[in-house]
Amino acid sequence: MRKKVDERIRTLIENGVKSRHRSMFVIIGDKSRDQIVNLHYMLSKSVVRSRPTVLWCYKNKLELASHKKKRDKQIKKKLQRGQLDPEKMDPFSLFVESAGITYCLYKDSERILGNTFGMCILQDFEALTPNLLARTIETVEGGGLILLLMRSLSSLTSLCTMVMDVHDRYRTESHSEAAGRFNERFLLSLSSCKACVVMDDELNILPISSHMKSIKPAPAREDSEGFLDSERDLKNLKEQLNNEFPVGPLIGKCCTLDQGKAVMTCLDAILDKTLRSTVALLASRGRGKSAALGLAIAGAVAAGYSNIFVTAPSPENLKTVFDFVCKGFDALEYKEHLDYDVVKSSNSEFKKATVRINIYKQHRQTIQYIQPHEHAKLSQVELLVVDEAAAIPLPVVKSLLGPYLVFLSSTVNGYEGTGRSLSLKLLHQLEEQSQMSNKNGETSISGRLFKKIELSESIRYGSGDSIESWLSGLLCLDASNSIPAITRLPPPSECDLYYVNRDTLFSYHKDSELFLQRMMALYVASHYKNSPNDLQLMADAPAHHLFVLLGPVDESKNHLPDILCVIQVCLEGKISRTSAMRSLSDGHSPHGDQIPWKFCEQFQDTVFPSLSGVRIVRIATHPSAMRLGYGSAAVELLARYFEGHVTPISEVEVEDVVHPSPVRILEAAKRVSLLEENVQPRANLPPLLVHLRERKPEKLHYIGVSFGLTLDLFRFWSRHKFLPFYIGQIPNTVTGEHTCMVLKPLNNNDVAGSGPLGFYTPFYQDFRQRFMRLLGFNFRTMEYKLALSILDPKINFTEQPSNLSDGCSTPLTEILTPYDMKRLESYTNNLADFHMILDLVPILSQQYFSEKLPVTISYAQASVLLSIGLQFQNITHIEGGMKLERQQILSLFIKVIKKFYKYLHEVASKEIGKTFPRLKEVVMEPHPVSLDEDLNEGAQKVEDEMKAKLMDPELLQQYGILDREADLEKALESDGLKISSSGLLSVKSSRVNTDKGGKKKEGHKDGKRKNKEEFSGSKSSGKKRRH
């Protein structure tokens, strides 16, 4: 059954063709693909030139028709022979066979960069991501159509609960419910796009596209001669340079004034022929950068350049460049096959893309494609062109630069993810080098010039394109222009951290949108790796939360406060031990929970993943407030908040309150059909900003960060007591930096641990040992300052006296032999070259940086020791890294060795001394009894002994008077019965003394005389015997 198409649809398509603006149609229904033919037919009728090409993007399966391949071949043959009437065929089958459709899987969408199509068809809405949306839509030319096909929906609001494929990556074991905030904002944004129509599969316009009621045919925008203002300026430029060769013919191929100026700048650098210029073309998608490069290359060939090299992520990205090289040759009157040949690639991966153009007109010249990592082939290059430089790793781009003419092109505010890396790092360095050369007054031979060209006018579509404005607003692509000026910079101590409610942030209200654009602007300005997918991650990931640092808020003023700093965090952990053991056994880690899984993998520990923590995903500071302490203040407040120091205790102890799930969009939407449903943003929303005192913190054990390892970033996190536990050995392919993960344990009584770092102490010690051993391998080229900052060795031992017995825990004989000590002695006495002890330096370095050699050295000496002993660098390499002369480095080195030898000699002397026998030391201690007390005690003892002897009955018995009572009485009578005053009485005794044997005792003199006589008698008898 035939049905008349709504005139408003035709009017929208025709207006887009007139103004060179794109139009977008969202078709809902299972039969939506049947309307593709009608819309393509209307577009073909409106476009004057050839039929528009079609790009069809899908997830993994195409449901184009039910006919078989054999029937396809028959239809093609009949169409070629004119034997088939198109009106009797299925219109869709005819469209598929004759429209020249380019099919592309979403996962292969990178290969369409640089191509242009008249119509883009997107199916499988659940597989779309912001990156894919931007990448595919930007390939459509002005006046073209974007068709978004969706399956039948009972209500548009069901988009908000649709499970997207990307949500699988957002779910973790502890956070499994992903929200649909991005889809809600996407749906609400469709009503604000004037060039977008939402309709069913019968082309009935739905109420959400209410702006279509007032659409009218657009008037012609041209002047009397049919030119726009910009086209008039471009025409004047072409007329002015018409007679200039080769500039005039090449400028004639330009489509916009910006493109013409870019080609002129490139040609000026080419015709200068000093080969000392670097020209960078920066713009958003569809500004004609690749075409300008192609025309500039054609001008370089005309100027006589022989060796021109072109590089890009893939040769397919250079399709536009080589096409415009050929167009430039046509303008310069070069003939293919006579003056030049185009060589296609035989590599199946490149799909017959152009890889070389050989020119023979003047002399042999070559335009050759090389892969980005083949910078060694650039020895004879005169001009190097790097297209899509943002998609090439930054270190690779740096390696491509050299003493020749260089043209770069890249997208800085687009959706490639690395454009900011090029603009923030490489281009900034090139600009500084150019300024330094100008200040120093270098000659034209040594100094290099840097020119940066920005293209703002679109080449694919006209200015003021509604689809471009809608896409930029939806994906925050133009966020760098949304950074507001800060009215006041308060002290960091006066600032507060606020929690951002994501339901309100992505509700598509006016103030919420402004706040979101400002947050994303800080992301783009502060980070060099951004992509629209980050926006969906921020909106839908269940474990992610947002915090902003604001100055003192004046509630009397009704305006949004200035955002000084933004922090995005992700809750991680709470993984069961079973899952951790399964991950270790399988060797595969699930999505999310980066720090727990990496920690589990590095230390083979299954307990840590069960802990709960938070990872700081991003921290971005306002460009006007950098290096003023706001980032540090935000990190400190965040740590205090999760430790429970910000929230009042009464609130912390309150039991967990079960918050009801927020009502998703449009509670006012009635359960009606699609043709009657009116979609409006929600009205009852929670506050956008919540002070941390009003929100209960999660109970966590640690805070972690994962970032690209640079010296400044590592020092920033080290100042806040974050310690590393993992550094990737393979550099990141995008930034060329090693991935680093750091950790800060929080005060928590649930996990026991010793030392100032708690449970993290043994893991950190293990990391330091592993990192020291790896410095001689994958980290050999790491900057010595960064390596020292990571090791954080103790080099000052003056505060605590070194104990020789405790310094070297390992016996010296197990570390060094006596011959080694002799060599060290010879070197310290300047009797040997440093090569003699080079084998000992790694051993000494390991011992020193493990704090087993308590010797105080300077920072410069430690740097030399690390470079030679751990990184195995030669003196020449150290000269370039430390900017010191060879003699200075060797002087620092010998000072270190002298200190080591002095300490080791003392240790060795002490170890040898321990082997000698030693006398036992006598300890002289004071006697507990004094001399007087000792003398008195001896005297008393003698007196007691004497008394005991006097009172002994056996002793007195010899003086006893036995059986002589009569003599006693006689003596008493003679004295008158009185005893003298002395108490003694003398009684004469007539008893003779006898010994115990009963013999009489001789007197003393008699005995002596007798002995003498006996002696003399014996002597005389001896004489007689001799004779």
Side-chain angles (χ1 to χ4, degrees), residues 702-725:
Y702 62 86
I703 299 179
V705 191
S706 177
F707 58 93
L709 184 59
T710 61
L711 183 60
D712 292 338
L713 274 179
F714 187 83
R715 287 179 174 176
F716 172 80
W717 293 113
S718 297
R719 285 197 300 269
H720 298 286
K721 300 179 180 179
F722 284 80
L723 298 174
F725 72 89

Side-chain angles (χ1 to χ4, degrees), residues 424-675:
L424 291 180
K425 284 193 171 183
L426 178 61
L427 300 186
H428 182 66
Q429 293 175 5
L430 293 175
E431 198 165 6
E432 285 185 347
Q433 292 174 3
S434 177
Q435 293 175 357
M436 290 293 294
S437 300
N438 295 333
K439 288 182 180 179
N440 297 335
E442 295 183 357
T443 62
S444 60
I445 298 176
S446 59
R448 288 193 65 84
L449 299 178
F450 176 73
K451 300 177 183 179
K452 183 169 64 174
I453 307 169
E454 296 186 4
L455 308 180
S456 58
E457 190 175 355
S458 175
I459 198 75
R460 285 194 176 95
Y461 43 83
S463 60
D465 183 69
S466 299
I467 297 297
E468 181 185 28
S469 303
W470 165 78
L471 193 63
S472 297
L474 174 66
L475 305 182
C476 302
L477 296 179
D478 199 21
S480 59
N481 298 327
S482 304
I483 303 178
I486 296 181
T487 56
R488 173 177 174 264
L489 289 174
S493 58
E494 297 180 3
C495 300
D496 286 322
L497 200 63
Y498 291 83
Y499 176 79
V500 181
N501 189 293
R502 291 188 292 167
D503 288 329
T504 307
L505 183 65
F506 291 92
S507 62
Y508 206 68
H509 280 271
K510 182 179 178 181
D511 292 337
S512 298
E513 277 297 298
L514 181 59
F515 199 80
L516 175 63
Q517 294 287 342
R518 291 183 179 180
M519 289 179 65
M520 293 302 298
L522 295 192
Y523 275 179
V524 173
S526 302
H527 291 268
Y528 51 82
K529 183 182 178 182
N530 300 276
S531 71
N533 283 350
D534 299 334
L535 189 66
Q536 190 172 17
L537 175 71
M538 188 195 307
D540 294 353
H544 284 241
H545 298 278
L546 299 172
F547 297 87
V548 291
L549 184 72
L550 307 177
V553 179
D554 188 358
E555 298 182 358
S556 61
K557 297 181 180 179
N558 189 18
H559 63 80
L560 290 173
D562 294 329
I563 304 176
L564 300 173
C565 184
V566 181
I567 296 183
Q568 181 179 349
V569 303
C570 175
L571 299 176
E572 296 185 338
K574 293 184 179 181
I575 302 171
S576 65
R577 191 166 185 178
T578 304
S579 300
M581 295 178 67
R582 183 171 60 250
S583 173
L584 285 177
S585 61
D586 296 344
H588 174 71
S589 300
H591 291 291
D593 292 320
Q594 289 186 16
I595 288 180
W597 289 126
K598 186 59 68 176
F599 200 99
C600 176
E601 173 191 338
Q602 290 298 305
F603 301 104
Q604 299 294 298
D605 182 77
T606 58
V607 178
F608 181 84
S610 62
L611 304 180
S612 58
V614 65
R615 174 172 56 91
I616 299 178
V617 180
R618 281 195 173 191
I619 177 170
T621 307
H622 195 285
S624 303
M626 288 185 175
R627 299 187 181 276
L628 296 178
Y630 293 109
S632 298
V635 173
E636 291 296 332
L637 287 173
L638 188 69
R640 292 181 61 241
Y641 168 67
F642 284 121
E643 286 181 339
H645 298 161
V646 175
T647 307
I649 297 178
S650 59
E651 293 188 14
V652 175
E653 295 177 350
V654 173
E655 296 182 358
D656 294 340
V657 180
V658 179
H659 298 281
S661 58
V663 181
R664 299 266 28 109
I665 152 183
L666 330 170
E667 59 269 15
K670 300 178 181 179
R671 295 294 180 182
V672 293
S673 64
L674 286 175
L675 294 176

Side-chain angles (χ1 to χ4, degrees), residues 13 41 109 147 152 189 300 384 482 610 645 736 748 822 845 851 885 892 946 972:
I13 295 175
Y41 176 76
S109 59
L147 306 184
S152 294
S189 68
L384 173 66
S482 304
S610 62
H645 298 161
N748 196 305
K822 283 289 185 181
S845 302
E851 300 181 6
E885 294 182 0
L892 293 171
M946 291 177 65
L972 288 174

Side-chain angles (χ1 to χ4, degrees), residues 6-114:
D6 196 325
E7 285 296 328
R8 294 174 292 179
I9 298 176
R10 191 185 302 274
T11 302
L12 178 63
I13 295 175
E14 292 176 352
N15 290 349
V17 173
K18 290 179 183 178
S19 58
R20 295 184 62 246
H21 289 174
R22 297 167 295 176
S23 305
M24 181 173 176
F25 294 91
V26 181
I27 309 175
I28 302 174
D30 293 335
K31 299 181 180 180
S32 57
R33 68 180 182 86
D34 294 335
Q35 302 301 335
I36 297 175
V37 182
N38 298 327
L39 295 174
H40 187 268
Y41 176 76
M42 285 186 280
L43 177 63
S44 302
K45 289 295 183 183
S46 302
V47 177
V48 178
R49 58 182 184 275
S50 61
R51 298 183 65 188
T53 56
V54 180
L55 171 66
W56 194 310
C57 300
Y58 60 100
K59 177 182 176 182
N60 52 19
K61 186 178 180 181
L62 274 174
E63 298 179 359
L64 300 179
S66 59
H67 52 266
K68 299 179 181 180
K69 293 183 179 180
K70 185 177 180 180
R71 186 176 177 183
D72 291 342
K73 294 181 180 179
Q74 293 176 349
I75 292 175
K76 287 183 180 179
K77 288 181 181 180
K78 291 181 179 180
L79 285 173
Q80 292 174 356
R81 297 171 183 175
Q83 299 175 355
L84 183 64
D85 187 1
E87 296 183 358
K88 295 181 180 180
M89 284 186 63
D90 176 18
F92 185 75
S93 300
L94 181 61
F95 167 74
V96 170
E97 300 298 334
S98 60
I101 302 176
T102 300
Y103 297 102
C104 178
L105 290 167
Y106 283 135
K107 63 180 181 180
D108 298 331
S109 59
E110 291 185 359
R111 68 181 180 86
I112 64 174
L113 291 176

Side-chain angles (χ1 to χ4, degrees), residues 705-934:
V705 191
S706 177
F707 58 93
L709 184 59
T710 61
L711 183 60
D712 292 338
L713 274 179
F714 187 83
R715 287 179 174 176
F716 172 80
W717 293 113
S718 297
R719 285 197 300 269
H720 298 286
K721 300 179 180 179
F722 284 80
L723 298 174
F725 72 89
Y726 167 75
I727 297 178
Q729 300 182 32
I730 302 175
N732 186 277
T733 56
V734 177
T735 62
E737 300 163 348
H738 295 270
T739 300
C740 179
M741 292 188 179
V742 295
L743 203 70
K744 179 181 181 180
L746 298 178
N747 295 329
N748 196 305
N749 298 326
D750 294 346
V751 182
S754 59
L757 303 179
F759 73 91
Y760 187 49
T761 303
F763 300 109
Y764 178 60
Q765 294 173 351
D766 180 75
F767 163 78
R768 290 185 75 249
Q769 292 296 325
R770 294 174 62 187
F771 181 72
M772 274 194 292
R773 291 192 288 265
L774 287 172
L775 276 174
F777 297 94
N778 292 16
F779 301 132
R780 188 180 179 187
T781 58
M782 180 179 289
E783 187 183 5
Y784 72 93
K785 295 180 182 178
L786 180 57
L788 270 181
S789 299
I790 295 171
L791 277 180
D792 192 21
K794 183 178 181 180
I795 61 176
N796 187 3
F797 292 88
T798 57
E799 297 179 358
Q800 57 181 23
S802 60
N803 191 345
L804 297 180
S805 61
D806 296 337
C808 262
S809 58
T810 307
L812 184 60
T813 55
E814 296 183 9
I815 302 175
L816 299 175
T817 65
Y819 305 105
D820 296 334
M821 293 295 294
K822 283 289 185 181
R823 285 188 288 149
L824 285 176
E825 182 182 8
S826 299
Y827 177 69
T828 55
N829 293 331
N830 293 323
L831 299 178
D833 188 64
F834 77 96
H835 294 97
M836 285 286 292
I837 62 163
L838 204 56
D839 60 311
L840 304 179
V841 180
I843 302 174
L844 297 175
S845 302
Q846 287 280 350
Q847 294 290 317
Y848 178 76
F849 288 110
S850 300
E851 300 181 6
K852 296 178 181 178
L853 291 178
V855 178
T856 299
I857 62 177
S858 66
Y859 182 84
Q861 293 169 352
S863 302
V864 173
L865 182 65
L866 180 138
S867 300
I868 298 177
L870 296 182
Q871 292 187 305
F872 308 134
Q873 301 287 2
N874 54 35
I875 304 299
T876 305
H877 187 276
I878 301 174
E879 285 183 75
M882 298 186 67
K883 308 300 181 185
L884 295 176
E885 294 182 0
R886 184 182 182 87
Q887 293 303 321
Q888 292 176 302
I889 296 172
L890 293 177
S891 175
L892 293 171
F893 179 67
I894 195 172
K895 289 179 181 178
V896 176
I897 300 301
K898 284 183 177 180
K899 292 180 180 180
F900 283 172
Y901 176 74
K902 179 181 178 182
Y903 174 79
L904 293 173
H905 182 70
E906 293 176 357
V907 174
S909 301
K910 190 169 184 180
E911 288 183 357
I912 295 173
K914 290 179 181 179
T915 61
F916 294 158
R918 295 186 179 183
L919 295 175
K920 185 177 180 180
E921 295 182 359
V922 180
V923 180
M924 304 294 291
E925 296 181 355
H927 202 277
V929 181
S930 66
L931 181 61
D932 293 339
E933 292 176 351
D934 192 21

